[in-house]
């Protein structure tokens, strides 16, 4: 079964209430949509975005079973197995989820999940509270500072770049561009919640 965006958002809100988690889901949704178009998967952009929106569906309610419980939730609703695999695989190596990212979309999701959190935290430290005036050099400094946004795994981000066959700077730059491009859309979606 395929979900409309409205149905996916309703499902997300059924399992998530914290504004931080909802905003993160909206951010990853927008970034995945941007990457789909940028990498030549425009016809699949809605699928990429939905994987981004639902990737942490189970995290708030079931943090100890993250990427495990979500499979049960999604299978019980008869959701597309490709979507389930994408969502479960974003936790590869970090959770008890057993799916490895295989397709480019899954690798992008794996790579950008932690990185969007790091970029978002860096934006909050700026006077503008925005990514619009953030430069790659500033992001690199935040990435190297292990104490800054310590919950965002640098190892996972680097592994994500490697899975994609990109150097780390390319991943940082592309994800920053995605967040800059989509910042207004993310703000509007968050305000609508």
């Amino acid at each position: 079964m395929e979900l409309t965006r409205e149905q996916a958002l309703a499902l997300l809100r059924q399992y998530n209430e914290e504004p931080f988690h909802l905003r993160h889901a909206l951010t990853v949704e927008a970034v995945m949509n941007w990457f789909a178009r940028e990498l030549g998967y425009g016809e699949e952009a809605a699928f990429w975005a939905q994987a981004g929106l639902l990737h942490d569906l189970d995290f708030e309610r079931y943090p100890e079973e993250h990427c495990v419980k979500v499979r049960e939730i999604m299978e019980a609703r008869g959701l597309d197995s490709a979507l389930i695999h994408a969502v479960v695989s974003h936790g590869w190596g970090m959770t008890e989820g057993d799916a490895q990212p295989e397709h480019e979309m899954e690798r992008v999701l794996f790579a950008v999940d932690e990185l969007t959190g790091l970029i978002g935290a860096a934006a909050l430290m700026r006077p503008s509270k925005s990514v619009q005036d953030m430069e790659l050099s500033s992001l690199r400094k935040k990435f190297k500072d292990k104490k800054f946004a310590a919950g965002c795994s640098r190892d996972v981000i680097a592994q994500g770049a490697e899975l994609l066959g990109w150097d780390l700077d390319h991943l940082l730059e592309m994800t920053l561009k995605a967040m800059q491009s989509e910042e207004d859309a993310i703000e509007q979606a968050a305000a609508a919640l």
Side-chain angles (χ1 to χ4, degrees):
M1 176 179 125
E2 291 185 24
L3 296 176
T4 65
R5 183 181 186 277
E6 291 73 25
Q7 290 169 325
L9 190 56
L11 179 60
L12 176 70
R13 294 192 71 183
Q14 183 179 344
Y15 289 90
N16 292 268
E17 296 174 3
E18 291 292 324
F20 175 83
H21 294 142
L22 293 170
R23 184 177 185 82
H24 175 65
L26 294 170
T27 299
V28 178
E29 173 191 34
V31 167
M32 290 298 291
N33 188 20
W34 184 90
F35 268 104
R37 295 187 321 266
E38 186 71 20
L39 298 175
Y41 295 94
E43 292 180 8
E44 299 172 32
F47 179 77
W48 284 49
Q50 193 164 97
L53 183 66
L54 297 175
H55 79 284
D56 279 346
L57 178 66
D58 62 353
F59 184 76
E60 185 176 315
R61 196 175 288 181
Y62 306 102
E64 300 302 319
E65 297 177 85
H66 182 42
C67 295
V68 174
K69 194 69 171 174
V70 73
R71 182 186 300 275
E72 295 172 25
I73 294 167
M74 296 176 88
E75 285 178 348
R77 284 164 177 76
L79 298 183
D80 181 8
S81 62
L83 180 63
I84 295 170
H85 189 274
V87 167
V88 172
S89 73
H90 93 276
W92 178 60
M94 299 174 285
T95 69
E96 296 299 318
D98 58 353
Q100 181 174 345
E102 296 171 2
H103 304 290
E104 189 165 22
M105 181 272 287
E106 295 170 343
R107 292 175 181 154
V108 170
L109 180 58
F110 179 86
V112 304
D113 178 29
E114 298 283 312
L115 183 52
T116 58
L118 179 71
I119 294 170
L124 291 175
M125 301 300 294
R126 305 181 69 75
S128 66
K129 307 280 189 230
S130 171
V131 294
Q132 294 305 321
D133 57 352
M134 189 182 298
E135 295 182 5
L136 181 58
S137 59
S138 175
L139 178 55
R140 272 195 218 109
K141 286 179 189 173
K142 295 295 186 190
F143 182 86
K144 290 178 184 176
D145 180 358
K146 304 285 191 220
K147 292 180 183 175
F148 177 78
C152 298
S153 172
R154 276 60 169 181
D155 291 340
V156 168
I157 295 167
Q159 185 181 14
E162 187 177 316
L163 279 174
L164 287 162
W166 299 351
D167 65 36
L168 180 60
D169 269 359
H170 183 68
L171 176 62
L172 296 176
E173 181 179 25
M174 293 287 284
T175 307
L176 179 58
K177 281 183 183 178
M179 288 183 70
Q180 288 169 334
S181 175
E182 300 298 324
E183 188 172 50
D184 287 343
I186 295 165
E187 292 298 327
Q188 289 173 5
L193 290 178

